[in-house]
Amino acid sequence: MRIIFYTVCCLLFSSCITEYTLDGSEDFEEQYSVNGLIRPGVPASIYIHKVGDLGKMETISDPSKLRVWITWNWEGEEKIDSLQFSVDYFEGDAELKFNTSYHLNVLLPDGKLIKATTNIPSPAPSYDVYLKFPAGFVQLDNITGPFSRFVMTMPDSLIEAKYYESMLLQVEENDVSKFKIQYCRNDDTATLIENLPSNYLPYFLFQNNKGDKLPMILNFDSVKANPFSNRFIFRLSSVSEQYFRYKKSLLQHLDVLSHTSEFDAPMLFFPDIFKELQPVYSNIEGAEGVFAGYNPTDLSVTCNLSGYECI
């Protein structure tokens, strides 16, 4: 299968890069790209683009010809929310809730129906995150000095298996609504078992093991996170299976490519040109893209520095 195109799609709190492959031996048919990452407390936002010849992404000339809506069941009653086009995406009115499955529908002008289903999981518990500084010394090509270690302990597993995404945020200008994602390193079994890069990435994926009651301790190392001058938030998101599979396949895809505008080769953990290029997961029926739910929880960070509070 020959790679024909790839597009970058940034959604909500994380940088999401979507890469697709089409069979160049077939005649090109009109395709659509549908993307939406949904979370509780806010309405759904769905990005829809038309895929032109040779994979070129194009804006939809007349969005009013598309009908976009989501449905869900709440307390035994079927709910519906019609999404209206606003600037460059379709937005709903209803505030979404966790522990709920949502069904996305996009009706095209030719009568074709694009569908997808996902759920928004319950939030992660409010675990403690402890910052140790200095936690060690690192010497890279362009960085030399002590590094900070953010340690999160999950006392035991939940009753059911869950998927997680974690990221470290540096607060900007002492305003918790403004932040920058910090690149971290993680070599813990829970992340390495996913066969993903581990060296200085903006986020990490892992699962809890159903029935395993042993504490899970995760260590996130950051070279640039200086507790003397920065404040931090550790964001732990419980994510849907669709979200997990999408982000995991994305990282594996980028690991083979070794270089993109978002992930430079030195950031990846042993990029291997002999790895087989994997397609990025999609759960959209009748189009490409992803429709997935996540539920972020911001965890406070406790420093080991006397008289200093991280957040």
Side-chain angles (χ1 to χ4, degrees):
M1 183 175 289
R2 180 166 60 91
I3 298 178
I4 294 185
F5 72 92
Y6 90 87
T7 181
V8 178
C9 178
C10 297
L11 295 173
L12 301 177
F13 289 108
S14 53
S15 297
C16 303
I17 304 171
T18 308
E19 310 198 16
Y20 308 116
T21 59
L22 297 177
D23 190 342
S25 63
E26 299 178 357
D27 293 335
F28 183 82
E29 296 182 359
E30 186 175 76
Q31 296 286 335
Y32 284 82
S33 172
V34 179
N35 293 278
L37 300 182
I38 60 175
R39 61 187 178 93
V42 296
S45 296
I46 304 297
Y47 295 78
I48 303 177
H49 293 84
K50 196 173 181 180
V51 182
D53 195 12
L54 298 179
K56 182 180 179 181
M57 302 298 291
E58 302 174 352
T59 58
I60 299 174
S61 57
D62 189 357
S64 64
K65 292 184 178 181
L66 272 64
R67 183 189 171 201
V68 183
W69 74 97
I70 60 172
T71 62
W72 68 97
N73 185 286
W74 182 250
E75 297 181 343
E77 182 180 353
E78 289 295 323
K79 301 287 187 177
I80 185 171
D81 185 20
S82 296
L83 280 64
Q84 304 300 320
F85 188 75
S86 173
V87 185
D88 59 352
Y89 59 89
F90 291 83
E91 185 176 30
D93 293 319
E95 290 189 1
L96 306 184
K97 304 178 185 296
F98 62 83
N99 284 340
T100 304
S101 294
Y102 291 93
H103 308 278
L104 172 66
N105 303 272
V106 179
L107 184 62
L108 302 179
D110 61 3
K112 179 181 178 181
L113 184 64
I114 297 173
K115 300 187 297 181
T117 298
T118 192
N119 70 291
I120 299 179
S122 57
S126 185
Y127 298 114
D128 291 329
V129 178
Y130 180 75
L131 169 57
K132 182 179 180 181
F133 180 86
F137 190 85
V138 66
Q139 184 169 358
L140 302 176
D141 292 340
N142 56 347
I143 299 177
T144 300
F147 64 85
S148 299
R149 171 164 291 176
F150 295 80
V151 183
M152 182 182 68
T153 300
M154 303 174 73
D156 54 53
S157 299
L158 303 178
I159 297 176
E160 59 181 348
K162 294 190 69 172
Y163 302 99
Y164 294 98
E165 178 184 61
S166 62
M167 62 179 64
L168 176 66
L169 309 177
Q170 176 185 311
V171 178
E172 299 288 317
E173 302 174 356
N174 291 321
D175 184 349
V176 294
S177 66
K178 300 178 181 179
F179 54 81
K180 178 170 33 175
I181 300 175
Q182 295 293 294
Y183 286 83
C184 294
R185 177 185 178 92
N186 183 287
D187 288 323
D188 295 314
T189 301
T191 58
L192 293 181
I193 201 172
E194 301 298 339
N195 192 30
L196 296 173
S198 67
N199 196 29
Y200 299 108
L201 296 177
Y203 59 85
F204 290 90
L205 300 165
F206 64 95
Q207 307 177 49
N208 74 318
N209 298 315
K210 182 178 180 181
D212 184 0
K213 296 300 181 181
L214 296 177
M216 181 184 293
I217 301 176
L218 298 173
N219 301 276
F220 302 88
D221 296 339
S222 174
V223 179
K224 296 184 178 181
N226 185 345
F228 291 104
S229 58
N230 301 138
R231 299 174 64 203
F232 304 100
I233 295 174
F234 191 89
R235 177 161 293 165
L236 179 64
S237 298
S238 55
V239 302
S240 65
E241 180 180 0
Q242 296 81 18
Y243 188 107
F244 186 87
R245 293 180 64 183
Y246 165 68
K247 284 293 192 74
K248 182 174 179 177
S249 65
L250 172 62
L251 277 178
Q252 291 173 332
H253 190 95
L254 295 174
D255 189 30
V256 177
L257 292 179
S258 300
H259 180 275
T260 71
S261 60
E262 294 291 330
F263 294 81
D264 291 333
M267 293 293 184
L268 298 179
F269 187 65
F270 299 140
D272 188 347
I273 62 173
F274 299 104
K275 291 181 180 179
E276 182 178 353
L277 189 65
Q278 299 295 322
V280 176
Y281 167 82
S282 173
N283 67 327
I284 306 293
E285 298 180 26
E288 299 288 356
V290 65
F291 177 61
Y294 74 108
N295 195 344
T297 298
D298 289 346
L299 307 178
S300 61
V301 177
T302 302
C303 289
N304 68 332
L305 301 177
S306 177
Y308 188 86
E309 183 180 3
C310 289
I311 187 169

